[in-house]
Amino acid sequence: MPRVPHDVLPPDPFADDPDDPAAGLGSFEDEPAEQIDAQTRADLLADLSDLAVYQALLEPRGIRGIVVDCGECEEPHYHDWHLLRASLEQLLSDGRMRPHEPAYDPDPANYVSWDYCRGFADGVTATESAY
């Protein structure tokens, strides 16, 4: 499986900086990749497929991406469509996701939950099936 290219992710603001505050943490590439099981792979492929549908339906309506409530920091995380896709593809190919910068000053009105996306898509499908 091909790796997600670095150019789809935001650039490292400390690239080649001798005073990089994360320099002592080691390289992401130094970590061993985890193998994902068949069920996880199938779930990720389904999520990527669903994400494409949700983006096609909601992006023209001004929705920029998905918000996820983080259980670790108890803060909402805002993911633009392309960043979420790149993260899922990275997880699929490498068994892990690269760290990334959070959205800068996101407008919560421009993001919806995964459940909202699913409900919206179901509503569109039901409406189209009725005709």
Side-chain angles (χ1 to χ4, degrees):
M1 172 97 17
R3 295 176 65 105
V4 175
H6 286 281
D7 61 350
V8 299
L9 299 174
D12 179 358
F14 295 100
D16 302 319
D17 183 345
D19 297 321
D20 181 352
L25 297 177
S27 171
F28 182 78
E29 285 76 24
D30 293 342
E31 299 174 22
E34 297 177 26
Q35 295 295 323
I36 58 174
D37 60 44
Q39 183 60 52
T40 302
R41 176 173 296 283
D43 292 344
L44 285 168
L45 289 170
D47 286 348
L48 282 165
S49 178
D50 290 344
L51 183 63
V53 170
Y54 302 158
Q55 182 178 3
L57 291 173
L58 294 166
E59 190 173 45
R61 291 171 167 80
I63 301 300
R64 295 195 55 194
I66 293 181
V67 60
V68 178
D69 291 324
C70 179
E72 291 181 26
C73 70
E74 299 181 8
E75 295 285 327
H77 290 219
Y78 299 91
H79 302 275
D80 287 348
W81 300 114
H82 71 281
L83 181 59
L84 184 53
R85 181 178 303 98
S87 294
L88 291 173
E89 289 172 348
Q90 182 70 42
L91 185 56
L92 185 64
S93 68
D94 290 352
R96 62 182 174 216
M97 286 190 252
R98 286 188 195 106
H100 62 273
E101 292 294 320
Y104 175 74
D105 197 24
D107 180 353
N110 293 331
Y111 297 84
V112 294
S113 70
W114 196 268
D115 288 337
Y116 178 92
C117 292
R118 184 178 298 117
F120 189 88
D122 289 347
V124 168
T125 302
T127 301
E128 290 179 355
S129 296
Y131 294 102

